[in-house]
Amino acid sequence: MNRSIKRRSFLGGIMAGAGALVLSGCAKVAETRIGASLIGSADDWHKRAHRLAGGRAALAREFDKSDLSPFFRGNGSTDVDTDAYRAAAEEGFANWKLRVSGLVEQELSLSLDDLRALPQRTQITRHDCVEGWSAIGEWTGPQLSRILEMARLKPEANYIVFRCADTLSGSRYYESVDMVDAFHPQTVIAHSLNGEPLPVQNGAPLRVRIERQLGYKHAKYLTGIEAVASLDDIGDGKGGYWEDRSGYQWYAGI
Ligand SMILES: Nc1nc2c(c(=O)[nH]1)N[C@H]1C(S)=C(S)[C@@H](COP(=O)(O)O)O[C@H]1N2
Ligand SMILES: [Mo]
Protein backbone atom coordinates (compact mmCIF):
# COMPACT_ATOMS: atom_id res chain seq x y z
CA MET A 1 0.00 0.00 0.00
CA ASN A 2 2.69 2.40 1.01
CA ARG A 3 4.69 1.56 -2.04
CA SER A 4 1.73 2.15 -4.33
CA ILE A 5 1.13 5.53 -2.82
CA LYS A 6 4.77 6.42 -3.12
CA ARG A 7 4.79 5.46 -6.73
CA ARG A 8 1.71 7.46 -7.38
CA SER A 9 3.17 10.58 -5.90
CA PHE A 10 6.32 10.10 -7.96
CA LEU A 11 4.20 10.09 -11.08
CA GLY A 12 2.21 13.05 -9.85
CA GLY A 13 -0.68 14.27 -11.88
CA ILE A 14 0.99 13.46 -15.16
CA MET A 15 -0.08 9.83 -15.17
CA ALA A 16 -3.32 10.42 -13.31
CA GLY A 17 -5.04 7.63 -15.23
CA ALA A 18 -2.55 4.88 -14.45
CA GLY A 19 -1.98 6.25 -10.95
CA ALA A 20 -5.67 6.07 -10.17
CA LEU A 21 -5.75 2.47 -11.38
CA VAL A 22 -2.92 1.56 -9.02
CA LEU A 23 -4.49 3.39 -6.11
CA SER A 24 -7.96 1.99 -6.59
CA GLY A 25 -6.74 -1.59 -6.36
CA CYS A 26 -3.66 -1.11 -4.20
CA ALA A 27 -2.15 -4.44 -3.13
CA LYS A 28 -4.99 -6.30 -4.77
CA VAL A 29 -4.05 -5.10 -8.21
CA ALA A 30 -0.46 -6.12 -7.60
CA GLU A 31 -1.58 -9.68 -6.99
CA THR A 32 -3.09 -10.04 -10.43
CA ARG A 33 -0.91 -10.62 -13.46
CA ILE A 34 -1.81 -7.37 -15.11
CA GLY A 35 -1.26 -5.57 -11.83
CA ALA A 36 2.17 -7.11 -11.41
CA SER A 37 3.20 -6.20 -14.90
CA LEU A 38 1.81 -2.72 -14.49
CA ILE A 39 3.55 -2.08 -11.21
CA GLY A 40 6.70 -4.09 -11.81
CA SER A 41 9.82 -2.86 -10.09
CA ALA A 42 10.48 0.70 -9.07
CA ASP A 43 12.94 0.88 -11.95
CA ASP A 44 10.26 -0.02 -14.44
CA TRP A 45 8.10 2.68 -13.05
CA HIS A 46 10.84 5.20 -13.54
CA LYS A 47 11.32 4.13 -17.12
CA ARG A 48 7.62 4.17 -17.88
CA ALA A 49 7.09 7.55 -16.28
CA HIS A 50 9.96 8.99 -18.26
CA ARG A 51 8.59 7.59 -21.48
CA LEU A 52 5.15 9.05 -20.84
CA ALA A 53 5.87 12.27 -19.03
CA GLY A 54 9.39 12.94 -20.16
CA GLY A 55 9.41 11.42 -23.63
CA ARG A 56 9.39 14.76 -25.32
CA ALA A 57 12.33 15.94 -23.26
CA ALA A 58 14.55 13.19 -24.68
CA LEU A 59 17.36 14.34 -26.93
CA ALA A 60 17.35 13.77 -30.66
CA ARG A 61 20.24 11.62 -31.80
CA GLU A 62 23.50 13.48 -32.31
CA PHE A 63 26.06 12.40 -34.88
CA ASP A 64 29.80 12.67 -35.52
CA LYS A 65 31.61 14.98 -37.87
CA SER A 66 32.24 12.00 -40.14
CA ASP A 67 28.46 11.73 -40.64
CA LEU A 68 28.04 15.28 -41.99
CA SER A 69 26.29 15.50 -45.35
CA PRO A 70 28.68 16.90 -47.95
CA PHE A 71 25.99 19.35 -49.01
CA PHE A 72 23.03 20.62 -47.00
CA ARG A 73 20.41 21.48 -49.58
CA GLY A 74 18.09 24.45 -49.28
CA ASN A 75 14.37 23.81 -49.34
CA GLY A 76 11.25 25.97 -49.37
CA SER A 77 12.41 29.58 -49.54
CA THR A 78 16.07 29.65 -50.48
CA ASP A 79 16.35 33.44 -50.49
CA VAL A 80 14.33 36.45 -49.37
CA ASP A 81 13.09 38.64 -52.16
CA THR A 82 13.09 42.05 -50.48
CA ASP A 83 15.36 45.09 -50.79
CA ALA A 84 15.78 45.12 -47.02
CA TYR A 85 17.07 41.54 -46.96
CA ARG A 86 19.42 42.08 -49.91
CA ALA A 87 20.84 45.17 -48.18
CA ALA A 88 21.21 43.28 -44.91
CA ALA A 89 23.01 40.41 -46.66
CA GLU A 90 25.40 42.86 -48.32
CA GLU A 91 26.53 44.16 -44.96
CA GLY A 92 26.96 40.65 -43.60
CA PHE A 93 23.81 41.02 -41.47
CA ALA A 94 25.75 43.35 -39.13
CA ASN A 95 22.52 45.20 -38.31
CA TRP A 96 20.14 42.23 -38.27
CA LYS A 97 18.00 42.24 -35.15
CA LEU A 98 16.09 39.41 -33.53
CA ARG A 99 13.12 40.90 -31.73
CA VAL A 100 11.74 39.11 -28.67
CA SER A 101 8.24 40.32 -27.83
CA GLY A 102 4.73 39.38 -26.78
CA LEU A 103 4.02 38.02 -23.31
CA VAL A 104 7.44 38.84 -21.84
CA GLU A 105 8.50 41.12 -18.99
CA GLN A 106 11.48 42.38 -20.96
CA GLU A 107 11.31 42.87 -24.72
CA LEU A 108 14.65 42.28 -26.41
CA SER A 109 16.32 43.29 -29.64
CA LEU A 110 19.35 41.08 -30.16
CA SER A 111 22.09 41.51 -32.75
CA LEU A 112 24.11 38.59 -34.08
CA ASP A 113 26.95 39.69 -31.81
CA ASP A 114 24.58 39.62 -28.82
CA LEU A 115 23.53 36.09 -29.76
CA ARG A 116 27.12 34.95 -30.29
CA ALA A 117 28.07 36.35 -26.88
CA LEU A 118 25.62 34.00 -25.13
CA PRO A 119 26.66 30.45 -24.16
CA GLN A 120 26.64 28.39 -27.37
CA ARG A 121 25.49 24.89 -28.16
CA THR A 122 26.84 22.94 -31.13
CA GLN A 123 25.01 19.82 -32.26
CA ILE A 124 25.22 17.50 -35.24
CA THR A 125 21.73 16.33 -36.07
CA ARG A 126 19.71 14.91 -38.92
CA HIS A 127 17.14 17.13 -40.57
CA ASP A 128 14.15 15.22 -41.91
CA CYS A 129 11.93 16.93 -44.45
CA VAL A 130 8.38 15.69 -44.87
CA GLU A 131 9.02 15.63 -48.62
CA GLY A 132 11.30 12.65 -48.12
CA TRP A 133 14.90 13.78 -47.82
CA SER A 134 17.31 14.07 -44.91
CA ALA A 135 20.63 15.77 -44.30
CA ILE A 136 23.05 15.82 -41.38
CA GLY A 137 24.48 19.18 -40.35
CA GLU A 138 26.30 20.79 -37.45
CA TRP A 139 24.40 23.72 -35.97
CA THR A 140 25.65 26.33 -33.52
CA GLY A 141 23.82 28.99 -31.57
CA PRO A 142 22.39 29.91 -28.18
CA GLN A 143 19.61 27.79 -26.72
CA LEU A 144 16.19 29.37 -27.07
CA SER A 145 15.65 28.72 -23.35
CA ARG A 146 18.49 31.12 -22.56
CA ILE A 147 16.87 33.90 -24.59
CA LEU A 148 13.46 33.27 -23.02
CA GLU A 149 15.01 33.43 -19.56
CA MET A 150 16.47 36.83 -20.43
CA ALA A 151 13.07 38.04 -21.66
CA ARG A 152 11.23 36.48 -18.67
CA LEU A 153 8.00 34.94 -19.92
CA LYS A 154 4.74 36.02 -18.38
CA PRO A 155 2.71 33.19 -16.82
CA GLU A 156 0.06 33.46 -19.57
CA ALA A 157 2.58 32.57 -22.31
CA ASN A 158 1.80 29.13 -23.74
CA TYR A 159 3.48 29.17 -27.17
CA ILE A 160 6.46 30.66 -28.93
CA VAL A 161 5.85 31.98 -32.44
CA PHE A 162 8.76 32.30 -34.87
CA ARG A 163 8.50 35.20 -37.33
CA CYS A 164 10.38 35.01 -40.62
CA ALA A 165 11.49 37.50 -43.28
CA ASP A 166 10.41 35.46 -46.31
CA THR A 167 7.14 35.27 -48.13
CA LEU A 168 5.81 32.17 -49.89
CA SER A 169 2.83 32.58 -52.23
CA GLY A 170 2.12 35.99 -50.73
CA SER A 171 2.21 35.03 -47.03
CA ARG A 172 4.93 35.39 -44.45
CA TYR A 173 6.39 32.09 -43.28
CA TYR A 174 5.95 31.48 -39.57
CA GLU A 175 6.03 28.60 -37.15
CA SER A 176 5.31 27.93 -33.49
CA VAL A 177 6.05 25.49 -30.67
CA ASP A 178 4.84 24.88 -27.15
CA MET A 179 7.01 25.40 -24.09
CA VAL A 180 8.22 21.79 -23.99
CA ASP A 181 9.98 22.31 -27.30
CA ALA A 182 10.86 25.95 -26.61
CA PHE A 183 12.83 24.86 -23.52
CA HIS A 184 14.20 21.63 -25.01
CA PRO A 185 18.01 21.70 -24.70
CA GLN A 186 18.49 21.10 -28.43
CA THR A 187 16.23 23.97 -29.47
CA VAL A 188 18.74 26.55 -30.61
CA ILE A 189 18.73 29.77 -32.59
CA ALA A 190 21.42 28.77 -35.06
CA HIS A 191 23.71 31.31 -36.72
CA SER A 192 26.16 28.71 -38.08
CA LEU A 193 26.03 25.56 -40.17
CA ASN A 194 29.12 23.34 -40.21
CA GLY A 195 31.15 26.04 -38.47
CA GLU A 196 30.37 28.78 -41.01
CA PRO A 197 27.77 31.56 -40.90
CA LEU A 198 24.47 30.20 -42.26
CA PRO A 199 24.31 30.25 -46.04
CA VAL A 200 21.43 32.30 -47.44
CA GLN A 201 19.67 29.18 -48.74
CA ASN A 202 19.66 27.68 -45.23
CA GLY A 203 18.12 30.73 -43.56
CA ALA A 204 20.83 33.38 -43.03
CA PRO A 205 21.47 34.92 -40.66
CA LEU A 206 19.34 33.00 -38.11
CA ARG A 207 17.18 29.90 -38.13
CA VAL A 208 15.52 27.77 -35.53
CA ARG A 209 16.52 24.17 -34.84
CA ILE A 210 13.72 22.10 -33.29
CA GLU A 211 15.49 18.77 -33.38
CA ARG A 212 12.61 16.54 -32.28
CA GLN A 213 10.38 17.74 -35.11
CA LEU A 214 10.20 17.66 -38.91
CA GLY A 215 11.93 20.17 -41.18
CA TYR A 216 9.10 22.62 -41.73
CA LYS A 217 9.13 23.55 -38.01
CA HIS A 218 12.73 24.87 -38.34
CA ALA A 219 11.94 28.47 -39.24
CA LYS A 220 14.60 30.19 -41.39
CA TYR A 221 15.30 33.94 -41.88
CA LEU A 222 14.23 34.50 -38.28
CA THR A 223 13.28 38.08 -37.39
CA GLY A 224 11.19 37.62 -34.27
CA ILE A 225 10.30 35.42 -31.36
CA GLU A 226 6.89 36.14 -29.88
CA ALA A 227 5.38 34.65 -26.73
CA VAL A 228 1.61 34.19 -26.99
CA ALA A 229 -1.21 32.67 -24.97
CA SER A 230 -3.01 31.20 -27.98
CA LEU A 231 -2.28 30.53 -31.65
CA ASP A 232 -5.84 31.34 -32.72
CA ASP A 233 -5.06 34.87 -33.93
CA ILE A 234 -1.73 34.08 -35.58
CA GLY A 235 -1.93 33.46 -39.33
CA ASP A 236 -4.94 31.24 -39.97
CA GLY A 237 -4.72 29.88 -36.44
CA LYS A 238 -3.13 26.49 -37.08
CA GLY A 239 0.32 27.45 -35.80
CA GLY A 240 2.40 27.59 -38.96
CA TYR A 241 2.59 28.45 -42.64
CA TRP A 242 2.20 24.85 -43.81
CA GLU A 243 -0.21 23.91 -41.04
CA ASP A 244 -2.49 26.71 -42.27
CA ARG A 245 -2.38 25.55 -45.91
CA SER A 246 -1.94 21.81 -46.01
CA GLY A 247 -2.63 18.92 -43.72
CA TYR A 248 0.77 19.25 -42.06
CA GLN A 249 0.54 18.56 -38.35
CA TRP A 250 1.37 21.34 -35.90
CA TYR A 251 3.17 18.81 -33.74
CA ALA A 252 5.51 17.09 -36.17
CA GLY A 253 7.40 14.88 -33.75
CA ILE A 254 10.07 12.49 -34.98
N1 LIG B 1 11.30 30.88 -43.31
C1 LIG B 1 11.21 29.64 -43.81
N2 LIG B 1 11.58 28.62 -43.03
C2 LIG B 1 11.53 27.36 -43.51
C3 LIG B 1 11.04 27.08 -44.81
C4 LIG B 1 10.64 28.19 -45.61
O1 LIG B 1 10.22 28.04 -46.78
N3 LIG B 1 10.75 29.46 -45.08
N4 LIG B 1 10.96 25.78 -45.27
C5 LIG B 1 10.95 24.73 -44.25
C6 LIG B 1 11.18 23.38 -44.76
S1 LIG B 1 9.88 22.57 -45.44
C7 LIG B 1 12.35 22.72 -44.56
S2 LIG B 1 12.56 21.09 -44.98
C8 LIG B 1 13.53 23.43 -44.02
C9 LIG B 1 14.64 23.39 -45.03
O2 LIG B 1 15.81 23.86 -44.46
P1 LIG B 1 17.07 24.04 -45.41
O3 LIG B 1 16.70 25.03 -46.47
O4 LIG B 1 18.18 24.49 -44.54
O5 LIG B 1 17.32 22.69 -46.03
O6 LIG B 1 13.27 24.77 -43.68
C10 LIG B 1 12.00 25.00 -43.16
N5 LIG B 1 11.94 26.36 -42.72
MO1 LIG C 1 10.46 20.36 -45.46
Side-chain angles (χ1 to χ4, degrees):
M1 183 73 179
N2 277 343
R3 293 193 66 188
S4 299
I5 289 170
K6 233 198 211 151
R7 285 177 188 130
R8 186 172 188 267
S9 63
F10 161 65
L11 291 163
I14 296 156
M15 275 187 70
L21 176 59
V22 171
L23 254 204
S24 67
C26 278
K28 240 178 167 179
V29 172
E31 279 161 24
T32 65
R33 260 189 56 163
I34 182 161
S37 72
L38 183 67
I39 291 172
S41 69
D43 274 353
D44 277 359
W45 266 112
H46 267 93
K47 278 186 208 141
R48 256 167 242 174
H50 276 285
R51 210 173 299 144
L52 284 169
R56 289 191 48 206
L59 296 185
R61 180 171 168 199
E62 294 193 13
F63 295 79
D64 295 326
K65 281 207 191 271
S66 58
D67 300 314
L68 288 173
S69 300
F71 173 70
F72 203 108
R73 64 177 274 185
N75 199 47
S77 295
T78 50
D79 202 346
V80 182
D81 191 18
T82 66
D83 291 340
Y85 184 84
R86 273 186 289 274
E90 256 166 48
E91 52 183 26
F93 301 104
N95 295 305
W96 190 268
K97 288 285 173 2
L98 176 67
R99 205 172 121 75
V100 184
S101 64
L103 297 171
V104 295
E105 302 290 352
Q106 178 66 63
E107 291 202 344
L108 303 170
S109 177
L110 303 169
S111 67
L112 294 188
D113 282 346
D114 293 334
L115 292 166
R116 287 196 202 99
L118 294 173
Q120 304 289 296
R121 183 179 164 95
T122 292
Q123 58 201 27
I124 302 179
T125 53
R126 194 184 67 207
H127 178 100
D128 294 311
C129 173
V130 73
E131 290 163 31
W133 58 272
S134 299
I136 294 176
E138 182 190 70
W139 305 97
T140 303
Q143 291 171 314
L144 176 57
S145 61
R146 178 61 72 133
I147 296 168
L148 297 177
E149 277 155 18
M150 286 162 60
R152 301 200 311 279
L153 291 174
K154 292 187 178 172
E156 314 89 85
N158 292 319
Y159 303 97
I160 299 298
V161 177
F162 302 114
R163 301 292 191 179
C164 304
D166 61 316
T167 299
L168 277 180
S169 309
S171 296
R172 276 291 171 99
Y173 200 92
Y174 80 99
E175 258 303 338
S176 64
V177 292
D178 64 15
M179 294 304 171
V180 177
D181 274 318
F183 284 88
H184 188 283
Q186 289 170 320
T187 297
V188 303
I189 304 302
H191 51 70
S192 294
L193 169 58
N194 299 337
E196 301 287 334
L198 283 190
V200 165
Q201 63 163 8
N202 302 109
L206 295 171
R207 68 105 46 89
V208 184
R209 295 300 306 171
I210 304 281
E211 303 295 357
R212 299 290 312 279
Q213 294 204 51
L214 287 171
Y216 59 86
K217 301 296 292 186
H218 303 228
K220 306 194 284 187
Y221 314 112
L222 192 67
T223 56
I225 291 172
E226 202 178 322
V228 298
S230 157
L231 298 172
D232 291 351
D233 298 328
I234 315 285
D236 289 346
K238 297 214 179 88
Y241 176 88
W242 286 113
E243 290 89 327
D244 283 343
R245 300 178 162 68
S246 67
Y248 288 11
Q249 296 294 309
W250 173 74
Y251 184 71
I254 43 176

